[in-house]
Amino acid sequence: MLEFMDYVQNAFYNVSHWNHENSYSHLTATTRALLEFDTPRGLRLNLSSLSSPNFATSYTIGSVGLVDGSLSYLYTSLPLYTTSQSGKIELHDVIRGYRQIQELRKPEELWMWEQWQGGKRIDKRDTLLYGRLYLPQSTLEALYLRRLSPTQQLKLSAVSDSRLRNGGTILALHQFDVGKYSADTLYSTDGGLIGIRGLYNFGPDPRKEVTELPRTDDRFYGRFSAGAEMYYGSLNKSGGVSFGGRFATLPAHKGVPLTATLTLNPLMGNLSTTYAVKAGKNLALCTKFDFNVYSYESDVMLGCELWKMKAKIPKERERSMLAKLEWRLDPIKENPVPEPDEVAGVLKARVDQNWKIGLIWEGRIKDLLFTLGSSVDMKRRDQPFRAIGLELQYSS
């Protein structure tokens, strides 16, 4: 489940019209959500608040052998009028699950950001500042996020810790996204790492006018995306490269939603394939196969998620005052608007070829969001339960 500060950061992306999922780093987001979820350890409590549209705070305390915690503060120059009460937040917005990719949208024009007053431009670029202090380790995290233009964004991340080399590290990331393709350029002071990654979406260009209707009657109506990334460490003189592709159905697809990916790391010889399918309205299945062409070692992992909806209680029909005075019944609506389903919780499970099992149950009780999970190793009969934990979140 997303932490409150990550939820607020996603709200900043939505309000500023930035598609953070149109990136090579999110190529396998669905697989990571279904198979690589973290199981909680011990007891952890998170108290958060969006005290104003521009300011948010969060406090975390946990107990895993010893008591630890963190203090977080966030400021944004762009007002965020998003739902912040944990009892009202839509669970689909905070629980990572099967991700249905959306149609590409046309980026805003630069002139749309201009604001004039008295013949002078007064517009400013939206900015987000975030800081987090971990106790008792005294580790400090910081984030500076700034929208440069409708198609560009700058992100600076820093960590200060005495246990790290040089006492900390800084990561600079420049993102460029026009919908049809995106490119990221990054630099890290840790090893002098320089990298670039990009993603290209095949199909119509959202920047151009559509002259023909989409062929939604095709057996598989979706989008194919391909990308790559390259890194080079200027201090240790080492590099890395990877390639990847993804096919995912779009919302207008009339069949079963599915997502398939293929990633390749030629230097390490790693090949990874994934396949996820929305088998039902509330059920998603996923599988992952890894293979190394040098060592011939392979890994297999299976996972699923099952959403549980609350049972709808039929409402009793009450007569209006006019109907009571006229001794009659109110007319029955022919096409009543159906009420949306309310989520009670979601169960996630995964298992690999070594019979290591991960289970979590995420949902809401009253005004508390919770995550209950456990890690099980079936090969260790003497102590199969490796970890059990519970996380609670409350926000206002």
Side-chain angles (χ1 to χ4, degrees):
M1 182 176 292
L2 285 178
E3 293 186 354
F4 183 77
M5 289 303 187
D6 295 327
Y7 170 74
V8 175
Q9 186 173 335
N10 287 341
F12 176 83
Y13 289 141
N14 295 332
V15 175
S16 61
H17 306 289
W18 179 262
N19 185 10
H20 66 282
E21 294 186 348
N22 190 32
S23 172
Y24 183 77
S25 60
H26 286 78
L27 191 71
T28 58
T30 293
T31 303
R32 294 197 301 267
L34 297 177
L35 297 179
E36 301 177 11
F37 53 85
D38 296 328
T39 54
R41 299 174 60 90
L43 179 63
R44 185 166 296 273
L45 177 62
N46 185 289
L47 301 176
S48 309
S49 174
L50 187 62
S51 55
S52 71
N54 302 88
F55 190 74
T57 58
S58 180
Y59 309 97
T60 303
I61 184 171
S63 175
V64 185
L66 53 88
V67 178
D68 60 354
S70 65
L71 309 175
S72 305
Y73 298 93
L74 183 145
Y75 168 79
T76 169
S77 61
L78 181 64
L80 304 177
Y81 298 98
T82 183
T83 304
S84 60
Q85 295 85 358
S86 54
K88 299 180 181 179
I89 291 178
E90 174 60 42
L91 291 183
H92 286 92
D93 295 335
V94 294
I95 296 180
R96 297 183 178 97
Y98 183 90
R99 307 299 298 175
Q100 173 68 67
I101 65 171
Q102 303 298 318
E103 296 280 0
L104 296 175
R105 60 191 180 193
K106 180 181 179 180
E108 297 177 329
E109 299 293 341
L110 186 59
W111 60 267
M112 296 181 181
W113 284 32
E114 296 181 1
Q115 295 180 8
W116 296 83
Q117 183 177 3
K120 297 182 180 179
R121 288 188 59 177
I122 60 172
D123 53 280
K124 297 181 180 180
R125 297 296 180 252
D126 299 325
T127 305
L128 183 144
L129 301 176
Y130 168 72
R132 185 170 186 175
L133 176 63
Y134 292 88
L135 300 172
Q137 299 91 345
S138 297
T139 301
L140 180 63
E141 289 183 355
L143 171 65
Y144 174 81
L145 186 63
R146 184 179 180 85
R147 292 297 311 275
L148 303 178
S149 70
T151 59
Q152 296 185 67
Q153 178 174 271
L154 178 63
K155 189 175 183 180
L156 299 177
S157 305
V159 178
S160 176
D161 193 334
S162 59
R163 294 170 295 182
L164 297 177
R165 183 172 54 183
N166 299 325
T169 181
I170 299 177
L171 173 65
L173 175 64
H174 177 266
Q175 297 175 291
F176 178 76
D177 180 15
V178 295
K180 180 66 173 180
Y181 59 89
S182 66
D184 299 343
T185 306
L186 61 89
Y187 174 78
S188 176
T189 58
D190 187 11
L193 184 67
I194 303 173
I196 184 174
R197 61 193 178 203
L199 181 71
Y200 182 83
N201 298 302
F202 293 85
D205 192 337
R207 295 170 296 177
K208 300 179 181 179
E209 295 184 2
V210 179
T211 57
E212 59 181 11
L213 297 176
R215 301 171 58 182
T216 57
D217 293 333
D218 292 346
R219 184 177 180 182
F220 294 103
Y221 175 68
R223 182 169 67 241
F224 178 74
S225 306
E229 61 180 352
M230 294 180 291
Y231 296 96
Y232 178 74
S234 58
L235 297 183
N236 51 20
K237 304 298 190 253
S238 63
V241 61
S242 72
F243 305 94
R246 178 189 65 195
F247 176 81
T249 56
L250 293 171
H253 177 59
K254 298 181 180 180
V256 178
L258 59 89
T259 302
T261 65
L262 171 65
T263 55
L264 173 65
N265 188 328
L267 298 182
M268 304 301 297
N270 290 329
L271 177 69
S272 178
T273 61
T274 68
Y275 181 77
V277 60
K278 199 75 177 296
K281 181 180 179 181
N282 302 319
L283 175 65
L285 306 174
C286 184
T287 179
K288 180 181 180 182
F289 176 73
D290 295 331
F291 180 74
N292 190 282
V293 297
Y294 299 144
S295 63
Y296 297 103
E297 294 182 351
S298 61
D299 296 315
V300 177
M301 186 177 295
L302 305 175
C304 69
E305 70 169 3
L306 178 62
W307 292 78
K308 181 178 180 357
M309 301 297 175
K310 291 184 178 180
K312 294 184 178 180
I313 302 177
K315 295 182 178 180
E316 296 182 359
R317 292 182 56 197
E318 295 185 0
R319 292 190 300 168
S320 62
M321 182 60 64
L322 180 60
K324 291 179 180 179
L325 294 176
E326 295 179 356
W327 292 83
R328 62 175 177 82
L329 296 176
D330 291 319
I332 301 176
K333 296 181 180 179
E334 295 182 358
N335 297 317
V337 178
E339 296 183 0
D341 295 332
E342 187 176 357
V343 179
V346 57
L347 174 66
K348 291 185 180 181
R350 67 165 181 258
V351 60
D352 59 13
Q353 80 279 5
N354 297 319
W355 287 102
K356 292 183 179 180
I357 303 174
L359 296 169
I360 62 171
W361 172 258
E362 298 176 306
R364 175 165 43 213
I365 299 179
K366 299 297 182 180
D367 291 338
L368 286 177
L369 300 177
F370 71 90
T371 300
L372 176 64
S374 175
S375 298
V376 183
D377 189 351
M378 298 301 296
K379 289 189 176 182
R380 298 194 59 174
R381 302 294 179 87
D382 55 336
Q383 191 178 2
F385 292 95
R386 306 301 300 160
I388 299 178
L390 173 64
E391 293 184 1
L392 299 175
Q393 295 189 43
Y394 175 81
S395 60
S396 61

